[in-house]
Amino acid sequence: MTTDTQKHEGSMSTAAPARAPHGDVPTAHKTPEGRVGAGLFDPKQLVTSLPDAFRKLDPRVQVKSPVMFVVWIGSVLTTVFSVKDPGDWFGWAISAWLWLTIVFANLAEAVAEGRGKAQADTLRRAKTDTVARRLIEDGSEERVPGTELRIGDLVVCEAGDVIPGDGDVVEGVASVDESAITGESAPVIRESGGDRSAVTGGTKVLSDRIVIKITTKPGETFIDRMINLVEGAARQKTPNEIALNILLASLTIVFLLAVATLPPFADYAGTHLTMVVLVALLVCLIPTTIGALLSAIGIAGMDRLVQRNVLAMSGRAVEAAGDVSTLLLDKTGTITLGNRQACEFVPVRGVTEAEVADAAQLSSLADETPEGRSIVVLAKEKYGLRERHQGELTDAEWIAFTAQTRMSGVDVDGRKVRKGAAGSVIAWVKERGGEVAEDAQELTGEISEAGGTPLLVAVEDTDGARVLGVIHLKDVVKDGMRERFEELRRMGIKTVMITGDNPLTAKAIAKEAGVDDFLAEATPEDKMALIKREQAGGKLVAMTGDGTNDAPALAQADVGVAMNTGTSAAKEAGNMVDLDSDPTKLIEIVEIGKQLLITRGALTTFSIANDVAKYFAIIPALFAAVYPGLDKLNIMRLSSPDSAILSAVVFNALIIIALVPLALRGVRYRPVSADRLLRRNLGIYGLGGLIAPFIGIKLIDLLISLIPGIG
C-alpha cells in the first residue's frame, strides 16, 4: 500500500475506492436492484423453493448427508410396509410424515440456495457478450468478440464501452460504473499504475480512454466465479462441517444399534415391534434437526457475506473468520479517514498565527489534494481569512510539488512562499541566505511525537528568507473506532495496526484509536513475518490489502480480504473480496464468521437436547404395558403408544421447518467471553431443546386424540 511518508501532502488512500466527483456514495450494504439479500426469512421463498426440495429427494443427493439418508431409507421401508398393509392408517401416517421430514430438510437447503440463485441471476444480467477493440502489434485496432480474448491481450475502452473482460489498466485513467457488481451508483476511478488498476468485465467506462491488459480466460472471469459461488456450485464442505457430519453419523450408528436391540427385548416381554415403529423410533432419536439444517446454515453464512458485498471464495474462509484471534488493519483508510487534515498553524517566535495562516493559505491555493484543501479551509474558518482562488492571482507563478523538491508554493507580488517537508524547506531558506528560527526544529519534533505530520511554511521577501511556522497535519481517526476495537477485545481478538509511518507517529495514532499493537514502517516482508509469528503461536490471522505488495501477506493470512479496487494480484491472493472496498468490513466479516459457528453449535445443542425429550415420549409409551414401572417415565401422559410415536414423528418434522428462519438468519452474536457465551447458549438452546418437545409433542397428541378412530 502507499505509505504515509511518500509525500509531504499524502496521496489519497488506496485502501478506499476513489470516487468520481459526481454521484452519491451509497451505504456499504446497498445491493444491486433485483438482488435478493434480506437477511430475514421470507415465507414466499418456501413456495418458490418447493420444486427444488422435491428434486432433492433423489437418493444420490440424500447420500451426501448421512443422517438424512437414514431417514430416506426409513421412509422407503415404511412406505413399502404400508403398501403391503393398505388398511394400516398408522403406517401411512408415519410414512407421510417421514417423507415430509426429508422434504422440509431439503426445503431449508433449497431456500438458502434460492437466494444465491437470485443473486446469480442479477450477475448474469451484468455479464454481456461484448465486442472488444483489441490492439495489435502495429498499434491499430481490431474488433473481436469478448469470448476470443486471451490472457495478455490489450484492449481499448472509451466512454460508453462495456469492459469485455477482467484485467488491469496499463494506460490512462477513467471513471467506471461498477454498479452491476457492487450495487453502488457512484462511479469509481481506475488508472494505470498503483493499486486502483483492476477492472472487471461487464462494468462500463463512463469517461476518458483506457487500455486494459486482460488477465483472465473467458469463463473464468470474476463474474463467472461469483455466479458459481453464490449458486453454491463451488461450495465445498468446510473442516468444521465435515467434523460435525462425522459426529452426527457416529450418533446415528449408535442409535441404529440401540434400536436394533429392541425387538429381542420386546419379543421376550411378550410384545411385538413392527418395522414401522422401529423406523419411527430411530428417526426420532437420531439428530435429524441439525442434520437437516447443517447445509443450509453453511450456505446462509456465505449469503450473509454476499449481502454485505463480500465474496467468500470458500466456506473455509468464513469459518476461519469466526476463529480469528489476530486482526491486521491498515491505518490509512481503515482506522483513519485516509486524508490528513490541517488542525492548527504554529508560528515560530516573533511571528503571529495570522501571518502563518496567510502564507499557508496562499501556498495551498493550487494544491488540490485533500490536505491542501484543508489548509485553505482552516485559514478561512479559524483565522477569518477570505478564501482566495487561484484564478484571482493572474501574475502568480505556481510551484508544483515534486518528489525531488518535496515542496510546493507560489511566487507572487515580489514574495516567494513555500510549504513542505521540514528538511526541504530549511534547505531552501539556507540556500537564500536566510536564518532558520531556533524553535522551528523543536516544533516539528513535538508535532511528530504527537502523531502528526509537520509542514514548514517559509517566505522570501524584502526582509529575506525565513521560516514563519509549522502546519500541523493530523490523521483523523474514524468515529467509533475505539469502541469497535474495545468490542473486538471483548471477543478475545488482538488488533494490530499496520502503517508506513515512523514509530512515533504510529504510536500516537495507535493510542488514540485504541488498538492493541502496531507495526510501523511496514514492508511486505514485515507483514509476512508478523503473520507467520502469530500463526506459529497457534493463532488464526486476518488482514486486508489492495496492492500487489500485499499479495504475499494476503495469501499467508488465514482470512485475506482483498479490496475490489485493488490489483488483480491482491484479489487472486486473498480468499475474500470486498466489493465495496471498505477495509473496516473485516470487523463485520469476523462477526459473521463467529455467528456462523455459534448458529451451528446452538442448533446442534438444540437437536441433541430434542432427542432426549423424544426418548421420554416414545420408550415409556411402547413398553409401559409390559413393564408397568416405565409408566412413571411417561410424564407427558400421552394417550396411546401409536399417538406417542406419531406425535413425536410429526414434531420431528415440524421443528425443522420452524427452525429454518433461524438457520438462515443466524443466531444473534454478542461480543462476550467464551464461557458466558457457552452458558447462554446452553440455557437457551440446551434447555429450550429439552422443553420444546415436551410441549409440542403433548399438544400434537391432544390433537390426534380428538380424531375419531385414532385417539
Side-chain angles (χ1 to χ4, degrees):
M1 290 187 178
T2 305
T3 64
D4 300 310
T5 53
Q6 287 176 315
K7 282 189 179 183
H8 78 270
E9 293 166 342
S11 62
M12 181 178 291
S13 167
T14 59
R19 300 289 174 200
H22 55 285
D24 299 327
V25 178
T27 59
H29 294 261
K30 189 172 181 179
T31 53
E33 184 180 355
R35 175 178 289 184
V36 179
L40 299 178
F41 176 69
D42 183 2
K44 292 181 181 178
Q45 292 174 339
L46 288 174
V47 178
T48 57
S49 300
L50 268 176
D52 283 337
F54 282 102
R55 278 192 287 269
K56 288 177 180 289
L57 290 174
D58 186 332
R60 292 170 295 182
V61 176
Q62 294 300 312
V63 76
K64 296 177 182 178
S65 173
V67 176
M68 297 315 298
F69 186 58
V70 169
V71 179
W72 185 89
I73 293 174
S75 302
V76 172
L77 288 175
T78 55
T79 303
V80 170
F81 281 99
S82 297
V83 169
K84 289 182 177 180
D85 187 4
D88 182 15
W89 68 267
F90 178 75
W92 285 112
I94 293 294
S95 298
W97 279 101
L98 289 184
W99 283 115
L100 283 175
T101 301
I102 303 173
V103 170
F104 291 161
N106 293 344
L107 192 60
E109 185 174 359
V111 168
E113 290 176 349
R115 301 200 297 185
K117 288 177 181 177
Q119 292 160 352
D121 290 340
T122 301
L123 292 171
R124 282 196 181 92
R125 288 195 292 270
K127 182 183 176 183
T128 58
D129 292 328
T130 57
V131 175
R133 297 162 56 188
R134 183 166 61 187
L135 286 176
I136 53 182
E137 292 182 2
D138 61 3
S140 60
E141 299 177 10
E142 62 174 345
R143 291 184 174 270
V144 298
T147 53
E148 292 185 10
L149 293 175
R150 295 296 178 262
I151 295 175
D153 284 350
L154 296 178
V155 296
V156 177
C157 288
E158 294 181 326
D161 290 345
V162 174
I163 295 174
D166 293 358
D168 290 322
V169 178
V170 294
E171 181 185 319
V173 57
S175 175
V176 179
D177 176 10
E178 295 188 340
S179 59
I181 306 298
T182 66
E184 295 195 2
S185 58
V188 295
I189 300 299
R190 291 290 176 264
E191 57 188 342
S192 60
D195 296 335
R196 292 196 301 271
S197 60
V199 291
T200 305
T203 57
K204 187 176 183 180
V205 177
L206 299 180
S207 69
D208 303 293
R209 176 184 184 275
I210 52 176
V211 177
I212 301 165
K213 183 177 182 180
I214 299 299
T215 57
T216 57
K217 299 177 182 177
E220 298 178 6
T221 64
F222 191 61
I223 290 184
D224 290 316
R225 291 164 64 194
M226 287 179 68
I227 291 171
N228 288 334
L229 286 161
V230 298
E231 280 188 324
R235 196 185 94 85
Q236 302 294 323
K237 281 186 168 58
T238 64
N240 184 287
E241 203 171 342
I242 292 171
L244 187 53
N245 262 317
I246 293 172
L247 172 63
L248 298 181
S250 301
L251 289 174
T252 301
I253 292 172
V254 169
F255 282 117
L256 181 61
L257 294 175
V259 170
T261 63
L262 288 179
F265 284 105
D267 292 339
Y268 178 78
T271 186
H272 178 66
L273 297 180
T274 65
M275 182 59 71
V276 171
V277 169
L278 290 173
V279 169
L281 177 60
L282 175 63
V283 170
C284 288
L285 294 184
I286 62 177
T288 50
T289 306
I290 184 62
L293 299 174
L294 187 57
S295 182
I297 294 170
I299 295 171
M302 295 185 72
D303 180 65
R304 282 193 290 276
L305 280 178
V306 174
Q307 292 167 26
R308 288 162 176 79
N309 271 0
V310 177
L311 177 64
M313 300 304 180
S314 69
R316 182 191 294 267
V318 185
E319 271 190 6
D323 286 328
V324 159
S325 51
T326 303
L327 246 62
L328 306 186
L329 298 160
D330 184 56
K331 185 203 75 172
T332 306
T334 305
I335 295 173
T336 65
L337 291 176
N339 299 313
R340 289 164 292 179
Q341 305 289 307
C343 61
E344 65 175 331
F345 301 122
V346 186
V348 298
R349 294 187 189 93
V351 179
T352 65
E353 286 188 40
E355 289 180 272
V356 180
D358 179 69
Q361 186 191 62
L362 189 62
S363 66
S364 301
L365 293 180
D367 186 352
E368 294 299 329
T369 65
E371 292 84 354
R373 294 296 87 206
S374 72
I375 292 171
V376 174
V377 171
L378 180 65
K380 174 187 175 184
E381 293 181 350
K382 189 173 181 180
Y383 299 96
L385 293 178
R386 181 178 67 85
E387 185 175 350
R388 293 168 286 191
H389 298 282
Q390 184 179 356
E392 297 178 18
L393 307 176
T394 55
D395 60 340
E397 181 182 349
W398 301 99
I399 311 300
F401 170 84
T402 67
Q404 289 73 32
T405 63
R406 299 180 68 201
M407 292 188 301
S408 60
V410 62
D411 295 346
V412 62
D413 298 332
R415 287 199 304 164
K416 294 183 177 181
V417 184
R418 298 290 185 272
K419 79 170 191 296
S424 299
V425 173
I426 289 173
W428 182 82
V429 170
K430 288 182 177 180
E431 284 175 3
R432 281 153 179 75
E435 294 185 1
V436 179
E438 294 180 359
D439 57 337
Q441 294 275 25
E442 182 182 334
L443 292 173
T444 58
E446 290 176 356
I447 291 173
S448 294
E449 289 180 9
T453 301
L455 300 182
L456 282 186
V457 180
V459 65
E460 182 185 18
D461 53 19
T462 55
D463 294 330
R466 62 195 183 280
V467 173
L468 297 179
V470 187
I471 302 170
H472 183 178
L473 294 180
K474 181 182 179 183
D475 269 332
V476 181
V477 175
K478 292 181 178 179
D479 291 337
M481 290 306 295
R482 176 173 282 276
E483 290 74 16
R484 298 202 77 172
F485 288 137
E486 180 60 37
E487 187 175 305
L488 288 168
R489 202 169 289 115
R490 290 197 300 270
M491 293 160 59
I493 297 175
K494 174 185 175 183
T495 52
V496 180
M497 181 185 78
I498 299 177
T499 177
D501 285 336
N502 62 69
L504 287 176
T505 301
K507 182 179 180 181
I509 295 293
K511 182 178 180 181
E512 183 180 354
V515 296
D516 299 314
D517 201 355
F518 65 89
L519 178 65
E521 298 176 344
T523 64
E525 292 77 15
D526 293 333
K527 297 175 189 177
M528 281 283 287
L530 176 60
I531 292 172
K532 289 181 178 178
R533 193 161 58 245
E534 292 290 320
Q535 290 173 331
K539 298 177 180 178
L540 294 186
V541 180
M543 76 161 287
T544 61
D546 61 357
T548 300
N549 62 342
D550 292 320
L554 286 170
Q556 180 67 35
D558 300 285
V559 180
V561 184
M563 301 296 101
N564 190 42
T565 55
T567 62
S568 298
K571 289 194 281 189
E572 287 294 329
N575 48 26
M576 291 189 187
V577 176
D578 178 16
L579 303 180
D580 292 326
S581 299
D582 175 11
T584 59
K585 195 81 69 67
L586 183 58
I587 299 173
E588 291 182 55
I589 290 170
V590 170
E591 292 176 350
I592 291 172
K594 286 189 174 294
Q595 186 185 38
L596 171 66
L597 295 176
I598 290 169
T599 302
R600 193 177 286 155
L603 292 183
T604 300
T605 303
F606 186 91
S607 179
I608 294 174
N610 254 241
D611 297 336
V612 175
K614 285 180 280 189
Y615 170 87
F616 281 96
I618 298 177
I619 298 297
L622 282 178
F623 291 98
V626 293
Y627 295 111
L630 286 176
D631 193 52
K632 295 179 180 179
L633 295 177
N634 187 15
I635 55 180
M636 286 183 275
R637 315 315 300 174
L638 301 178
S639 55
S640 69
D642 285 351
S643 177
I645 295 170
L646 183 56
S647 298
V649 170
V650 171
F651 175 83
N652 194 58
L654 294 180
I655 198 63
I656 293 172
I657 204 68
L659 290 174
V660 168
L662 182 62
L664 298 182
R665 185 177 60 244
V667 175
R668 183 181 177 187
Y669 171 71
R670 294 176 181 173
V672 295
S673 61
D675 57 336
R676 285 186 60 190
L677 189 63
L678 178 61
R679 288 197 301 270
R680 176 177 174 271
N681 284 347
L682 284 176
I684 296 175
Y685 299 100
L687 188 60
L690 281 172
I691 295 174
F694 284 100
I695 298 172
I697 291 173
K698 181 60 179 177
L699 289 175
I700 295 170
D701 175 71
L702 291 174
L703 291 174
I704 291 175
S705 64
L706 296 176
I707 301 174
I710 296 180

